Amino acid sequence: MRIGFDARAAFLDPDRGFGRFTRALAEALLQVVPGEVVVFVPHGFLVPPPWYLRAASIVQLVRPRRGAFLVDAPAWAFTLRRHRVDVLHLPTWGVPCGLGVPVVATFYDATPFRFASPRRRWQRRRARLMIRSIARATLVHAISRHAASELLDVVPIADTRVSVVPLGVDGAFTPAPAPMTPRHALFVGGGDPHKNLDLALAVWAHPAAIALPPLVVAGAAAADPRLQGLVQAGVARPVPHPGDSELVGLYREALALLVPSRNEGFGLPALEAMACGCPVVAARAGALPEVCGNAAILLDPDDPAAWRAAIAGLAADPARRAALA
């Protein structure tokens, strides 16, 4: 069987959760079924040399482009006529029409239907259109039970075509060999409104934050201009593009990972933090209770005082922190 795999997100969005998932899944497929995967990558990016050794072929695409699946549907169809596959896995950006092969699509969440996220209205409209296009898929991979429920709420698709397969954690995410002294609290994620960076900013902008460790903001949210005031005050530090090895170090040295999102289809940073022995303080929202269970402190995503108290409590109680690690 020849499997087509759209790996563009691994190169175009390497810092975002779905981009990292796409890269990990591509590498896993190439190891499990070497010689049977046709990998589609964006033109002009450096492809890891081992991919060439294990793939049936590496196809560099000038078109279709990210997020332009409507106008690029004919380009996809043309590409698939030249590079025949028996099934195509599209882990991001919807399912164009007229592909002519069975399609497996990955679904993350329905945030654009529930929140003003992304911020720009045209981006939300495009995202909703791509989500609705998933109805064309032969089979949908939902990354959590919560994601599957959201999908069935917004897309007319039979539940028999939806399979829940939770995400996993790369083997690089492991606890420190010896206990480490916490140096910071950590926020990992993008800058979209539903990620709720506002809550972390409110916690550290409060005068009582003087007793808290500094806040490290890693990922796309590090570019948020509102963070600069806290950086200038010496209570926050941005880390814009952390690789996996740097993320492991940040998790291991953190007092806790903060995940205040108002919605998550999964919440991969929470699982990565737990794998590194880092306590998690997460919102009681989206898939986070499903993913974290009773291994995290779950709080209202709109109650900064409760989050400030939880962080201060972990700083003052090493035994509590060790129990959550």
Side-chain angles (χ1 to χ4, degrees):
M1 173 182 286
R2 283 172 67 88
I3 302 168
F5 186 79
D6 179 10
R8 290 174 298 161
F11 301 88
L12 297 173
D13 287 293
D15 296 332
R16 302 189 67 177
F18 63 81
R20 295 170 60 217
F21 162 71
T22 298
R23 176 177 287 271
L25 185 54
E27 292 176 346
L29 278 172
L30 291 171
Q31 289 181 358
V32 173
V33 284
E36 297 184 26
V37 184
V38 179
V39 184
F40 298 98
V41 301
H43 179 75
F45 285 79
L46 181 64
V47 177
W51 288 25
Y52 286 100
L53 299 176
R54 297 176 181 145
S57 61
I58 302 289
V59 180
Q60 295 197 1
L61 300 177
V62 177
R63 295 174 62 96
R65 303 185 308 275
R66 170 180 60 181
F69 76 106
L70 283 178
V71 298
D72 285 330
W76 255 124
F78 175 76
T79 299
L80 292 174
R81 283 196 296 271
R82 292 187 61 193
H83 304 277
R84 294 190 177 277
V85 299
D86 298 304
V87 63
L88 176 65
H89 188 171
L90 299 176
T92 49
W93 305 319
V95 181
C97 61
L99 296 184
V101 296
V103 173
V104 176
T106 297
F107 178 74
Y108 299 92
D109 59 71
T111 296
F113 286 90
R114 300 180 55 200
F115 300 95
S117 184
R119 285 187 171 87
R120 293 184 175 88
R121 184 176 298 177
W122 69 268
Q123 290 177 323
R124 292 198 297 276
R125 288 176 176 171
R126 185 185 67 181
R128 291 168 186 165
L129 203 59
M130 286 192 285
I131 288 172
R132 290 191 179 105
S133 76
I134 288 177
R136 301 186 183 112
T138 311
L139 181 68
V140 179
H141 159 220
I143 61 174
S144 66
R145 293 192 302 274
H146 172 75
S149 175
E150 284 199 323
L151 173 68
L152 295 172
D153 283 344
V154 299
V155 175
I157 187 171
D159 59 4
T160 54
R161 290 163 55 199
V162 180
S163 181
V164 176
V165 182
L167 302 183
V169 176
D170 189 278
F173 293 87
T174 58
M180 303 182 72
T181 302
R183 296 185 178 182
H184 53 253
L186 181 62
F187 178 102
V188 176
D192 292 327
H194 74 281
K195 295 292 186 181
N196 200 17
L197 177 63
D198 297 29
L199 181 133
L201 298 178
V203 169
W204 266 266
H206 193 278
I210 192 69
L212 302 180
L215 172 67
V216 169
V217 177
D224 193 308
R226 297 172 301 166
L227 186 62
Q228 292 310 307
L230 298 181
V231 173
Q232 292 170 3
V235 297
R237 176 168 67 92
V239 181
H241 303 289
D244 281 359
S245 59
E246 188 172 8
L247 266 179
V248 169
L250 291 172
Y251 285 133
R252 289 176 175 178
E253 295 177 349
L255 172 71
L257 172 74
L258 312 181
V259 192
S261 304
R262 292 189 173 90
N263 191 45
E264 287 286 353
F266 190 84
L268 185 58
L271 205 60
E272 291 174 342
M274 291 178 182
C276 292
C278 172
V280 174
V281 184
R284 195 180 293 108
L288 292 170
E290 175 186 341
V291 171
C292 297
N294 59 4
I297 298 173
L298 299 176
L299 300 172
D300 184 332
D302 294 306
D303 188 352
W307 288 71
R308 188 163 49 249
I311 297 162
L314 287 174
D317 189 350
R320 171 69 166 151
R321 182 178 180 275
L324 289 170

